Amino acid sequence: MKAGFIGTGSMGSILIEAFIHSGAFNPEQIIAGNRTIRKVELLAQTYPGLQVARSNREVAAESDIIFLCVKPSELKTVIDEIKEDVLPTQFVVSITSPVLIKHLEGLLPAKISKIIPSITNYVLSGATLCIHGNRMQPEDKEWLENLFAYISSPICVSENYTRISSDLSSCGPAFLANFIQSFIDAAVEATGISSEEATLLASEMTLGTGKLLTTGGFNPISLQKRVSVPGGITEEGLHILNEELAGVFARVISATHAKYEEDLEKAEHRFT
């Protein structure tokens, strides 16, 4: 099995490194290309055996599964470049959420899936969102999801819920990190605790909380109830959060969906 990557920017390189670290692929099984070839050369230096492609067509021609890890504005150009080299037996995986399955299937003869990764996949954790095209047979879906199980928890979602699912799984780490950093900054300013110590405490808390919510038998509501004693300190803090954050995430979701609709419209224009 040869895996090809077109695009080795932030998410493309994360996927390559995660697949290698997890043992899903050996470096020798990977061929990668990028507009800035130096980025691929650096990956090849880090992972000897990884093949540096000099063109996108080379990636397409030599791969069993092709990962399209480019910006929405670049995807149509890449597809037009490689479509003559793509075969019905190949898998094509796009990580670009605004480009719909129907757009991809309309231009490429391959088995198509859209997989939305997360930065958490870098540490072999978190979710990957799986949206499969009409040519994907049950055994194809199982194989692809088993591949992503090396680096994540694959979760099948409806394409209609791509944006909100991505908000929670892919944008969520940045939103959560923003909240945590604000908590750290407030702790440093109010008490004089060092930023390093506050960051360590908050980071370990976040790790432990994630475990409680995934394997510890808690959900967000039951965890709050377990930690919060009536009339206690945690309850006082939760009162403030409930007051100050009321409506914040509704506005966040409204903003991300508005941007997504804009991106969908642009993608529709490019592909039709």
Side-chain angles (χ1 to χ4, degrees):
M1 173 63 65
K2 192 70 171 286
F5 290 81
I6 297 178
T8 59
S10 177
M11 196 52 67
S13 61
I14 282 174
L15 285 177
I16 289 172
E17 294 190 84
F19 280 133
I20 292 173
H21 292 160
S22 68
F25 292 115
N26 295 321
E28 295 81 5
Q29 294 176 282
I30 294 175
I31 178 172
N34 193 75
R35 186 170 53 185
T36 305
I37 199 68
R38 182 60 180 159
K39 291 184 178 180
V40 190
E41 291 172 343
L42 289 173
L43 280 170
Q45 289 175 17
T46 304
Y47 303 103
L50 187 150
Q51 183 180 342
V52 179
R54 300 297 167 180
S55 71
N56 293 333
R57 296 192 64 181
E58 183 181 355
V59 174
E62 295 196 22
S63 303
D64 300 297
I65 180 169
I66 305 164
F67 293 90
L68 302 178
C69 306
V70 298
K71 297 176 182 178
S73 60
E74 300 171 0
L75 190 55
K76 177 61 162 57
T77 301
V78 169
I79 289 175
D80 286 341
E81 186 179 351
I82 67 171
K83 62 185 179 182
E84 299 301 325
D85 302 290
V86 175
L87 303 174
T89 54
Q90 290 175 302
F91 292 88
V92 171
V93 174
S94 170
I95 69 167
T96 307
S97 61
V99 178
L100 303 179
I101 292 286
K102 68 177 184 179
H103 295 142
L104 300 170
E105 288 187 331
L107 292 173
L108 295 171
K111 302 173 183 181
I112 305 289
S113 286
K114 190 160 64 173
I115 307 287
I116 311 301
S118 166
I119 192 172
T120 55
N121 304 156
Y122 186 70
V123 289
L124 314 185
S125 186
T128 44
L129 309 178
C130 304
I131 305 163
H132 299 298
N134 294 322
R135 299 183 198 124
M136 291 287 286
Q137 299 301 309
E139 60 270 23
D140 298 325
K141 298 175 185 179
E142 182 180 10
W143 177 83
L144 188 59
E145 290 167 26
N146 285 341
L147 174 63
F148 274 90
Y150 276 87
I151 66 170
S152 66
S153 295
I155 299 175
C156 290
V157 299
S158 166
E159 194 165 33
N160 292 334
Y161 294 122
T162 299
R163 180 64 265 144
I164 190 59
S165 300
S166 298
D167 284 346
L168 292 165
S169 67
S170 301
C171 301
F175 298 155
L176 183 58
N178 180 277
F179 178 89
I180 293 167
Q181 188 59 55
S182 296
F183 198 1
I184 292 167
D185 292 342
V188 171
E189 183 177 351
T191 70
I193 188 173
S194 72
S195 178
E196 293 76 16
E197 186 174 359
T199 299
L200 176 61
L201 290 168
S203 299
E204 290 294 336
M205 174 276 296
T206 305
L207 176 62
T209 302
K211 290 181 177 180
L212 287 170
L213 293 174
T214 51
T215 60
F218 287 90
N219 60 45
I221 293 174
S222 65
L223 181 55
Q224 290 177 75
K225 289 181 178 179
R226 184 66 177 269
V227 177
S228 178
V229 177
I233 291 172
T234 303
E235 186 178 64
E236 287 297 312
L238 286 173
H239 281 319
I240 298 297
L241 290 174
N242 289 332
E243 290 175 3
E244 297 297 325
L245 294 179
V248 165
F249 286 102
R251 297 198 297 275
V252 168
I253 290 170
S254 178
T256 60
H257 276 61
K259 181 61 170 67
Y260 183 61
E261 290 297 327
E262 178 184 323
D263 290 344
L264 278 176
E265 186 175 341
K266 290 178 180 177
E268 186 74 28
H269 178 73
R270 292 188 189 99
F271 280 83
T272 57

